[in-house]
Structure formats: structure tokens, C-alpha cells
Amino acid sequence: MKKRLFSGIQPSGELHIGNYLGAIQNWTRYLDDYECIYSIVDYHSLTIPYDHQAMPERILNLAMMLLACGLTPERCVLFRQSDVLEHTALSWILSCMTTINYLERMIQYKEKAEQHGAPNIGLFSYPILQSADILLYRAGTVPVGEDQLQHLELSRDVARKFNLRVESDYFPEPQALLTPARRVLGLDGKQKMSKSLGNHIALADDEATITQKMKRAVTDTRRMRRSDPGEPNDCNVFSWHGFFSSEAEREDIAPRCRSAEIGCMDCKKILIQNMNAQLEPIRERYAEWASKPAEVEEILHEGARKARTIAQETLREVHALLGLQHQY
Ligand code: AMP
Ligand code: TRP
């Protein structure tokens, strides 16, 4: 039997290559070796202000992009979190096993509370819902970016508390599977790639847009003139080659950058070409899925049916362990 793996992503708008490299591409690596369950976590998106009219389209577009990246129904379960109400039921139970103190230490909460002001209870208990997402499927493995490590630590703590309370080892303690692309920097070469900073390349950008954006991508800042020698290890564009170019290409580029034989534009051109070769098939498949929204909806429904079967069984067992009854 394959081990079970769970991860989730919020429908927070247009995906960029940081999301792709840091999350989605990584998700596709486990499709053969794990039983993978992936969720579009729309309930998590309610924790900060959002446009409710745009939400249905955001969810559907995200589903289309996930499918285009290879997370197809033959290979994994893909579903929308709000279709499986057991997530919130388990979240309540787990919230009774989590201290306020612990939640107050969460970095993401502190950052977002500051950003948006007047934080709601949902934002505060966000990591509990995340723990419920994982534990509902008794998943022991969770691929995430490094920003989620603290939340996963909390999910282990919650699992331990529950197990202790009911004197069992019912829940596994979820372990993070860190992505190789833990923190992809943006075009500015300084900050994490993020849509809100506008330093991103969107996963759906066409070649012309990528080329346009790459012009302003910051390289080794000490290399002012074409004739200055560059240092690939201090260059964000070169680090992107690590995600899109072959090792042979990188070994070829590095010394030629150091000797100023090639300029930054030459190096960028190679990168654009390789980036495009990887992203073009995704864009094409995305366009295909986008032409059949009803089929995508049906995939989400079918995913929810499968997820619900597992979720209901867990909740039934959790209720029994806690001395509660379960009637459905
Ligand atoms: P967000 O859009 O920030 O909610 O992130 C969605 C997913 O993409 C999460 O799993 C993040 O860890 C990942 N992610 C977002 N931005 C980056 C980045 N710049 N580098 C690596 N991973 C990222
Ligand atoms: N909090 C995660 C993020 O911002 C998304 C998420 C929600 C998640 N539930 C999860 C990730 C469960 C892994 C497992 O990226």
C-alpha cells in the first residue's frame, strides 16, 4: 500500500513560477510513489478580504492550471475543500486541543494580522484548519514550501495532543517534504517572488511577456558593464537556470559569465528559451482544460466524492474515540 500524502493551495489568483516551482511542480513528483490528495483550500481564503464574485472563476482557473501541470484524476484526488464539510468539523475538534498561546506564535498570523488589521478568528485559527486538512486523511507526508514548516509543527503537536487525549496512536504526525525550490526570488533578485510585489512571472505568461519581463530581471549587481566579469553564484538569473536549464548548460554558462565572454542578455536569452520550452506545454494544456469548464467541475466533484468517503470514515472514528456519536 502506498503512503498517503496531502497538500493544499489557496485560490488566491494568478499563479507564478514561484508557486509552480515551490509547490505544484513538486506535487507532481510524488504522483507515482504516494497516494496523493490535493485540495484547493477555499475556506482558507476567507481569512483575509477577498472578492466573492471573482472566487468561482479563481477556483476553476486554479483547477485548470493544476490539471495542466499534470495533477489529473487518474493520478491523484483533486478537490475543493469547501465540498467536504468534514474539514471544518474536525477543525473544531482540533481547536479544542490547541492553546491560544501556541497560535499566537505563528509568524504567518502575525504578518497577515499586521497587513490587514483587525484580524478575524479564522485567520488566527488558520493553522488548525490546515491541520484538519491533513489529519482528516491521516496523511503522514505533506509537501510544502519552507514558509509552512511552522504550521506543520503545529499539526504534529495537535496530532500528539489528540492521540494522548484518547490514548491511541490514531493520527500520524505529519512530516514536511520540503521542495528543492524553497524560496524562488522575484525579478528584483531580492525578495521572494510574489504577486503582491509585482516581481513575478506568471505561469500563464506567453513567450513575449516572459521576454519583456526578463529584461528587467536583476543579475549580479556588481556587473555594471558588459565587459565586467560576473559571478553566477551572486546572480538570481543564474539561480533560475537551476530550475530550467540542464547541468551541462549551466556548466557552460558559469565560466563564460566569469570571464565576461557572454553578457547578461545572452544568459537571459538561453534562460527564456528553456523556460518557454518547459512552460509552453503547460500553457497549451491549460488552454485545452479552459475550453471545457464543465469537465473540470466534474473532476472536482468526483474528487470531492472520493475525499468525502475517507473524511467521513475518519470523522466517525474520531467521534467514537472522543465518546461522541455519529449518525451518518
Ligand atoms: P501563496 O500564493 O503565497 O499562498 O503560495 C502558494 C504556494 O506556493 C505555497 O506552497 C508556497 O510555499 C509556494 N510559494 C509561493 N511563493 C513562492 C516562492 N517565491 N518560492 C517558492 N515557493 C513559493
Ligand atoms: N497554508 C498553505 C499555504 O499557504 C495552504 C494549505 C492549506 C495547506 N491546508 C494545507 C498546505 C494542508 C499543506 C497541507 O501554502
Side-chain angles (χ1 to χ4, degrees):
M1 264 252 296
K2 285 183 188 173
K3 285 202 273 186
R4 194 175 283 156
L5 172 155
F6 182 97
S7 198
I9 186 164
Q10 289 192 50
S12 45
E14 191 185 40
L15 289 171
H16 53 68
I17 59 171
N19 301 131
Y20 173 64
L21 299 167
I24 304 163
Q25 186 192 38
N26 195 43
W27 290 8
T28 65
R29 298 195 173 107
Y30 306 112
L31 291 169
D32 291 330
D33 297 334
Y34 290 84
E35 178 194 347
C36 295
I37 304 179
Y38 294 127
S39 183
I40 295 175
V41 290
D42 52 352
Y43 270 161
H44 277 103
S45 299
L46 307 190
T47 57
I48 52 171
Y50 75 102
D51 176 356
H52 67 274
Q53 278 169 336
M55 190 52 108
E57 201 177 317
R58 278 189 173 189
I59 293 174
L60 206 58
N61 285 346
L62 176 56
M64 288 163 180
M65 198 47 107
L66 295 175
L67 289 164
C69 289
L71 303 173
T72 49
E74 310 79 56
R75 308 192 70 196
C76 63
V77 172
L78 179 66
F79 75 103
R80 178 168 40 207
Q81 184 189 33
S82 62
D83 280 342
V84 183
L85 295 174
E86 284 74 12
H87 286 250
T88 43
L90 183 60
S91 184
W92 170 256
I93 291 171
L94 299 180
S95 73
C96 299
M97 298 173 192
T98 312
T99 63
I100 292 173
N101 263 340
Y102 199 168
L103 286 175
E104 276 172 343
R105 293 208 298 269
M106 294 295 121
I107 295 161
Q108 189 174 301
Y109 167 69
K110 286 194 258 191
E111 281 175 1
K112 297 229 163 138
E114 199 174 315
Q115 228 176 320
H116 300 283
N120 57 59
I121 297 286
L123 186 67
F124 188 57
S125 61
Y126 179 115
I128 304 180
L129 181 58
Q130 182 165 351
S131 304
D133 294 342
I134 303 165
L135 296 177
L136 199 50
Y137 303 95
R138 300 173 76 191
T141 312
V142 187
V144 281
E146 68 180 356
D147 57 341
Q148 295 301 314
L149 288 180
Q150 200 186 24
H151 288 170
L152 273 208
E153 196 182 306
L154 183 135
S155 75
R156 284 194 289 279
D157 187 73
V158 170
R160 264 196 302 274
K161 290 231 179 74
F162 178 91
N163 290 346
L164 215 63
R165 165 104 48 122
V166 300
E167 297 167 89
S168 86
D169 54 3
Y170 184 70
F171 284 132
E173 293 182 18
Q175 306 297 324
L177 255 182
L178 268 182
T179 70
R182 290 177 181 201
R183 195 164 179 269
V184 180
L185 298 184
L187 291 163
D188 54 12
K190 273 199 203 110
Q191 288 172 284
K192 191 175 136 168
M193 185 178 288
S194 125
K195 205 172 50 122
S196 55
L197 294 171
N199 62 0
H200 66 292
I201 291 183
L203 195 48
D205 278 347
D206 60 17
E207 188 169 5
T209 312
I210 294 178
T211 306
Q212 189 58 32
K213 287 187 178 173
M214 279 305 294
K215 281 190 190 144
R216 66 181 166 96
V218 175
T219 54
D220 175 2
T221 48
R222 282 165 308 187
R223 193 172 186 191
M224 313 280 269
R225 285 175 301 255
R226 166 73 175 74
S227 54
D228 291 340
E231 178 43 61
N233 293 330
D234 296 333
C235 174
N236 188 42
V237 169
F238 188 75
S239 83
W240 285 6
H241 272 286
F243 304 125
F244 295 102
S245 306
S246 68
E247 203 176 323
E249 274 172 311
R250 276 176 285 142
E251 280 175 6
D252 176 59
I253 294 168
R256 291 166 68 210
C257 163
R258 288 195 180 98
S259 66
E261 186 189 331
I262 59 165
C264 293
M265 262 331 283
D266 305 318
C267 174
K268 285 181 181 179
K269 273 187 198 143
I270 305 171
L271 177 65
I272 292 166
Q273 211 173 37
N274 294 340
M275 214 182 243
N276 198 52
Q278 228 185 92
L279 302 184
E280 190 173 45
I282 296 177
R283 291 197 300 268
E284 281 170 5
R285 286 195 296 268
Y286 176 73
E288 267 172 51
W289 286 112
S291 70
K292 37 189 184 186
E295 203 174 308
V296 176
E297 268 297 345
E298 184 44 40
I299 289 172
L300 291 181
H301 283 155
E302 184 53 29
R305 275 193 284 275
K306 288 185 185 154
R308 211 177 288 126
T309 305
I310 305 170
Q312 290 184 342
E313 189 187 333
T314 303
L315 205 58
R316 212 173 284 127
E317 287 167 353
V318 164
H319 278 198
L321 284 164
L322 290 170
L324 308 173
Q325 296 294 314
H326 202 320
Q327 294 293 348
Y328 64 76

